[in-house]
Amino acid sequence: MSTTEHPDPYMVLGVPRTATSADITRAYRALLRATHPDTRDPTASADPGPALAQALDAYALLHDPDRRTAYDHQHPTRPPATTGATFRPRRQPPIQAGPVHWTPNPRP
């Protein structure tokens, strides 16, 4: 399973990487009901093929503990990139000062 052909199985099923086997099964069944031709809304698009195939592939991968562990080792999560300190503008500065006027002192 290559990442260029298939999206992240966790994203396909809508579960976090810490999801239990029961959570994965629950999400798979809900997605299957929404995309399977026999149970989906008749007014939906005619071809559920890609979404249904992705759901089947994602469940097959994540339901098997050995395959899931291998996938997690091959695709580790990365913390979001940060550029340093987070800038948070304040609504009002803690000290306010009026305009400053400078007048030079004459030298003797």
Short mmCIF file of all heavy atoms in Angstrom, two decimals, residues 26-62:
data_model
loop_
_atom_site.label_atom_id
_atom_site.label_comp_id
_atom_site.label_asym_id
_atom_site.label_seq_id
_atom_site.Cartn_x
_atom_site.Cartn_y
_atom_site.Cartn_z
N ARG A 26 -16.45 0.57 14.42
CA ARG A 26 -17.63 1.44 14.44
C ARG A 26 -17.56 2.48 13.32
O ARG A 26 -18.55 2.70 12.60
CB ARG A 26 -17.71 2.13 15.81
CG ARG A 26 -19.04 2.76 16.11
CD ARG A 26 -19.11 3.29 17.55
NE ARG A 26 -18.73 2.29 18.54
CZ ARG A 26 -17.67 2.40 19.36
NH1 ARG A 26 -16.91 3.48 19.33
NH2 ARG A 26 -17.38 1.47 20.22
N ALA A 27 -16.40 3.07 13.13
CA ALA A 27 -16.24 4.07 12.07
C ALA A 27 -16.36 3.42 10.70
O ALA A 27 -16.96 3.99 9.78
CB ALA A 27 -14.89 4.77 12.22
N TYR A 28 -15.81 2.24 10.54
CA TYR A 28 -15.90 1.52 9.27
C TYR A 28 -17.34 1.21 8.91
O TYR A 28 -17.78 1.42 7.78
CB TYR A 28 -15.07 0.24 9.36
CG TYR A 28 -15.35 -0.73 8.25
CD1 TYR A 28 -14.93 -0.48 6.95
CD2 TYR A 28 -16.02 -1.93 8.49
CE1 TYR A 28 -15.17 -1.38 5.93
CE2 TYR A 28 -16.27 -2.83 7.48
CZ TYR A 28 -15.85 -2.55 6.20
OH TYR A 28 -16.11 -3.44 5.19
N ARG A 29 -18.09 0.72 9.87
CA ARG A 29 -19.49 0.36 9.60
C ARG A 29 -20.33 1.59 9.25
O ARG A 29 -21.18 1.54 8.36
CB ARG A 29 -20.08 -0.37 10.79
CG ARG A 29 -19.54 -1.77 10.93
CD ARG A 29 -20.14 -2.50 12.10
NE ARG A 29 -19.59 -3.85 12.17
CZ ARG A 29 -19.75 -4.64 13.21
NH1 ARG A 29 -20.45 -4.23 14.26
NH2 ARG A 29 -19.23 -5.85 13.20
N ALA A 30 -20.08 2.69 9.92
CA ALA A 30 -20.81 3.92 9.59
C ALA A 30 -20.45 4.40 8.19
O ALA A 30 -21.34 4.81 7.42
CB ALA A 30 -20.48 5.01 10.62
N LEU A 31 -19.17 4.35 7.84
CA LEU A 31 -18.74 4.76 6.50
C LEU A 31 -19.26 3.80 5.45
O LEU A 31 -19.66 4.22 4.35
CB LEU A 31 -17.22 4.84 6.45
CG LEU A 31 -16.60 5.45 5.21
CD1 LEU A 31 -17.11 6.88 4.98
CD2 LEU A 31 -15.09 5.45 5.33
N LEU A 32 -19.32 2.52 5.76
CA LEU A 32 -19.84 1.53 4.83
C LEU A 32 -21.32 1.76 4.55
O LEU A 32 -21.76 1.68 3.40
CB LEU A 32 -19.61 0.13 5.39
CG LEU A 32 -19.85 -1.03 4.45
CD1 LEU A 32 -18.87 -0.98 3.28
CD2 LEU A 32 -19.70 -2.35 5.18
N ARG A 33 -22.09 2.06 5.60
CA ARG A 33 -23.51 2.35 5.40
C ARG A 33 -23.71 3.58 4.52
O ARG A 33 -24.65 3.65 3.74
CB ARG A 33 -24.20 2.56 6.75
CG ARG A 33 -24.60 1.30 7.44
CD ARG A 33 -25.51 1.56 8.62
NE ARG A 33 -24.90 2.38 9.66
CZ ARG A 33 -24.13 1.92 10.63
NH1 ARG A 33 -23.86 0.64 10.70
NH2 ARG A 33 -23.64 2.73 11.53
N ALA A 34 -22.81 4.55 4.66
CA ALA A 34 -22.96 5.79 3.89
C ALA A 34 -22.52 5.64 2.44
O ALA A 34 -23.01 6.36 1.57
CB ALA A 34 -22.14 6.90 4.55
N THR A 35 -21.63 4.69 2.15
CA THR A 35 -21.09 4.60 0.79
C THR A 35 -21.49 3.34 0.03
O THR A 35 -21.31 3.28 -1.18
CB THR A 35 -19.54 4.65 0.82
OG1 THR A 35 -19.05 3.59 1.64
CG2 THR A 35 -19.06 5.99 1.34
N HIS A 36 -22.01 2.32 0.70
CA HIS A 36 -22.36 1.09 0.00
C HIS A 36 -23.57 1.32 -0.90
O HIS A 36 -24.54 1.96 -0.50
CB HIS A 36 -22.64 -0.03 1.01
CG HIS A 36 -22.64 -1.38 0.38
ND1 HIS A 36 -23.73 -1.90 -0.26
CD2 HIS A 36 -21.65 -2.30 0.28
CE1 HIS A 36 -23.42 -3.10 -0.73
NE2 HIS A 36 -22.16 -3.37 -0.41
N PRO A 37 -23.55 0.79 -2.12
CA PRO A 37 -24.66 1.02 -3.06
C PRO A 37 -26.01 0.53 -2.55
O PRO A 37 -27.05 1.09 -2.92
CB PRO A 37 -24.25 0.24 -4.31
CG PRO A 37 -22.79 0.03 -4.19
CD PRO A 37 -22.47 0.03 -2.74
N ASP A 38 -26.05 -0.51 -1.72
CA ASP A 38 -27.33 -1.04 -1.24
C ASP A 38 -27.92 -0.24 -0.08
O ASP A 38 -29.11 -0.32 0.17
CB ASP A 38 -27.15 -2.49 -0.79
CG ASP A 38 -26.83 -3.41 -1.96
OD1 ASP A 38 -27.11 -3.03 -3.12
OD2 ASP A 38 -26.28 -4.50 -1.72
N THR A 39 -27.10 0.50 0.66
CA THR A 39 -27.62 1.16 1.85
C THR A 39 -27.51 2.68 1.83
O THR A 39 -28.00 3.33 2.73
CB THR A 39 -26.85 0.67 3.10
OG1 THR A 39 -25.46 0.92 2.91
CG2 THR A 39 -27.08 -0.81 3.34
N ARG A 40 -26.88 3.25 0.83
CA ARG A 40 -26.71 4.71 0.81
C ARG A 40 -27.97 5.41 0.30
O ARG A 40 -28.88 4.78 -0.24
CB ARG A 40 -25.49 5.11 -0.01
CG ARG A 40 -25.61 4.82 -1.47
CD ARG A 40 -24.30 5.16 -2.15
NE ARG A 40 -24.28 4.59 -3.47
CZ ARG A 40 -24.79 5.18 -4.54
NH1 ARG A 40 -25.32 6.36 -4.46
NH2 ARG A 40 -24.78 4.57 -5.71
N ASP A 41 -27.98 6.69 0.42
CA ASP A 41 -29.09 7.53 0.00
C ASP A 41 -29.25 7.45 -1.52
O ASP A 41 -28.28 7.64 -2.25
CB ASP A 41 -28.80 8.97 0.43
CG ASP A 41 -29.95 9.92 0.11
OD1 ASP A 41 -31.07 9.43 -0.13
OD2 ASP A 41 -29.72 11.13 0.12
N PRO A 42 -30.44 7.17 -2.02
CA PRO A 42 -30.62 7.04 -3.47
C PRO A 42 -30.38 8.35 -4.24
O PRO A 42 -30.10 8.31 -5.43
CB PRO A 42 -32.06 6.59 -3.64
CG PRO A 42 -32.70 6.63 -2.32
CD PRO A 42 -31.66 6.88 -1.29
N THR A 43 -30.44 9.48 -3.56
CA THR A 43 -30.20 10.75 -4.26
C THR A 43 -28.72 11.10 -4.32
O THR A 43 -28.34 12.10 -4.91
CB THR A 43 -30.95 11.90 -3.54
OG1 THR A 43 -30.46 12.00 -2.21
CG2 THR A 43 -32.44 11.65 -3.55
N ALA A 44 -27.87 10.25 -3.72
CA ALA A 44 -26.44 10.50 -3.73
C ALA A 44 -25.88 10.23 -5.13
O ALA A 44 -26.56 9.71 -6.01
CB ALA A 44 -25.74 9.61 -2.71
N SER A 45 -24.62 10.57 -5.32
CA SER A 45 -24.00 10.37 -6.63
C SER A 45 -24.05 8.90 -7.03
O SER A 45 -24.11 8.00 -6.19
CB SER A 45 -22.55 10.87 -6.61
OG SER A 45 -21.78 10.05 -5.75
N ALA A 46 -23.98 8.64 -8.31
CA ALA A 46 -24.15 7.30 -8.84
C ALA A 46 -22.99 6.37 -8.53
O ALA A 46 -23.18 5.17 -8.39
CB ALA A 46 -24.37 7.37 -10.35
N ASP A 47 -21.76 6.87 -8.43
CA ASP A 47 -20.60 6.00 -8.28
C ASP A 47 -19.90 6.22 -6.94
O ASP A 47 -19.13 7.16 -6.78
CB ASP A 47 -19.62 6.27 -9.42
CG ASP A 47 -18.43 5.32 -9.37
OD1 ASP A 47 -18.58 4.22 -8.81
OD2 ASP A 47 -17.37 5.68 -9.91
N PRO A 48 -20.15 5.35 -5.95
CA PRO A 48 -19.45 5.46 -4.68
C PRO A 48 -18.12 4.73 -4.68
O PRO A 48 -17.48 4.60 -3.65
CB PRO A 48 -20.42 4.79 -3.71
CG PRO A 48 -21.04 3.71 -4.52
CD PRO A 48 -21.15 4.30 -5.92
N GLY A 49 -17.70 4.23 -5.83
CA GLY A 49 -16.53 3.37 -5.96
C GLY A 49 -15.29 3.79 -5.20
O GLY A 49 -14.80 3.03 -4.37
N PRO A 50 -14.72 4.98 -5.47
CA PRO A 50 -13.47 5.33 -4.77
C PRO A 50 -13.62 5.40 -3.26
O PRO A 50 -12.77 4.91 -2.53
CB PRO A 50 -13.11 6.70 -5.35
CG PRO A 50 -13.85 6.80 -6.62
CD PRO A 50 -15.08 5.96 -6.46
N ALA A 51 -14.67 6.00 -2.76
CA ALA A 51 -14.86 6.11 -1.31
C ALA A 51 -15.06 4.75 -0.68
O ALA A 51 -14.52 4.46 0.39
CB ALA A 51 -16.04 7.02 -1.00
N LEU A 52 -15.82 3.89 -1.34
CA LEU A 52 -16.06 2.55 -0.82
C LEU A 52 -14.77 1.73 -0.83
O LEU A 52 -14.44 1.05 0.14
CB LEU A 52 -17.15 1.85 -1.64
CG LEU A 52 -17.54 0.44 -1.20
CD1 LEU A 52 -18.04 0.45 0.23
CD2 LEU A 52 -18.58 -0.13 -2.14
N ALA A 53 -14.01 1.82 -1.91
CA ALA A 53 -12.75 1.08 -2.00
C ALA A 53 -11.75 1.57 -0.95
O ALA A 53 -11.04 0.76 -0.34
CB ALA A 53 -12.16 1.23 -3.40
N GLN A 54 -11.69 2.88 -0.71
CA GLN A 54 -10.79 3.42 0.30
C GLN A 54 -11.19 2.95 1.69
O GLN A 54 -10.34 2.62 2.52
CB GLN A 54 -10.77 4.94 0.25
CG GLN A 54 -10.05 5.49 -0.95
CD GLN A 54 -10.14 7.01 -1.01
OE1 GLN A 54 -10.81 7.64 -0.20
NE2 GLN A 54 -9.45 7.59 -1.99
N ALA A 55 -12.50 2.90 1.96
CA ALA A 55 -12.98 2.43 3.27
C ALA A 55 -12.62 0.97 3.48
O ALA A 55 -12.18 0.57 4.56
CB ALA A 55 -14.48 2.64 3.38
N LEU A 56 -12.79 0.15 2.44
CA LEU A 56 -12.45 -1.27 2.55
C LEU A 56 -10.95 -1.47 2.78
O LEU A 56 -10.54 -2.27 3.63
CB LEU A 56 -12.89 -2.01 1.29
CG LEU A 56 -14.40 -2.11 1.07
CD1 LEU A 56 -14.70 -2.67 -0.32
CD2 LEU A 56 -15.05 -2.96 2.14
N ASP A 57 -10.13 -0.73 2.03
CA ASP A 57 -8.67 -0.84 2.19
C ASP A 57 -8.22 -0.37 3.58
O ASP A 57 -7.37 -1.00 4.22
CB ASP A 57 -7.95 -0.03 1.12
CG ASP A 57 -8.08 -0.65 -0.26
OD1 ASP A 57 -8.44 -1.84 -0.36
OD2 ASP A 57 -7.83 0.08 -1.24
N ALA A 58 -8.79 0.75 4.04
CA ALA A 58 -8.40 1.30 5.34
C ALA A 58 -8.78 0.34 6.46
O ALA A 58 -7.98 0.10 7.38
CB ALA A 58 -9.07 2.65 5.55
N TYR A 59 -9.96 -0.25 6.39
CA TYR A 59 -10.39 -1.17 7.43
C TYR A 59 -9.54 -2.44 7.41
O TYR A 59 -9.15 -2.94 8.47
CB TYR A 59 -11.86 -1.52 7.27
CG TYR A 59 -12.35 -2.47 8.34
CD1 TYR A 59 -12.50 -2.05 9.65
CD2 TYR A 59 -12.65 -3.79 8.04
CE1 TYR A 59 -12.94 -2.90 10.64
CE2 TYR A 59 -13.09 -4.66 9.02
CZ TYR A 59 -13.23 -4.22 10.32
OH TYR A 59 -13.66 -5.07 11.30
N ALA A 60 -9.24 -2.94 6.22
CA ALA A 60 -8.41 -4.15 6.12
C ALA A 60 -7.04 -3.92 6.75
O ALA A 60 -6.49 -4.81 7.41
CB ALA A 60 -8.27 -4.57 4.65
N LEU A 61 -6.50 -2.74 6.57
CA LEU A 61 -5.19 -2.43 7.12
C LEU A 61 -5.24 -2.23 8.63
O LEU A 61 -4.43 -2.79 9.38
CB LEU A 61 -4.62 -1.17 6.47
CG LEU A 61 -3.29 -0.70 7.01
CD1 LEU A 61 -2.16 -1.55 6.42
CD2 LEU A 61 -3.07 0.74 6.71
N LEU A 62 -6.20 -1.44 9.10
CA LEU A 62 -6.23 -1.09 10.53
C LEU A 62 -6.84 -2.16 11.41
O LEU A 62 -6.59 -2.18 12.62
CB LEU A 62 -6.98 0.23 10.72
CG LEU A 62 -6.35 1.45 10.05
CD1 LEU A 62 -7.20 2.69 10.31
CD2 LEU A 62 -4.94 1.66 10.52
#
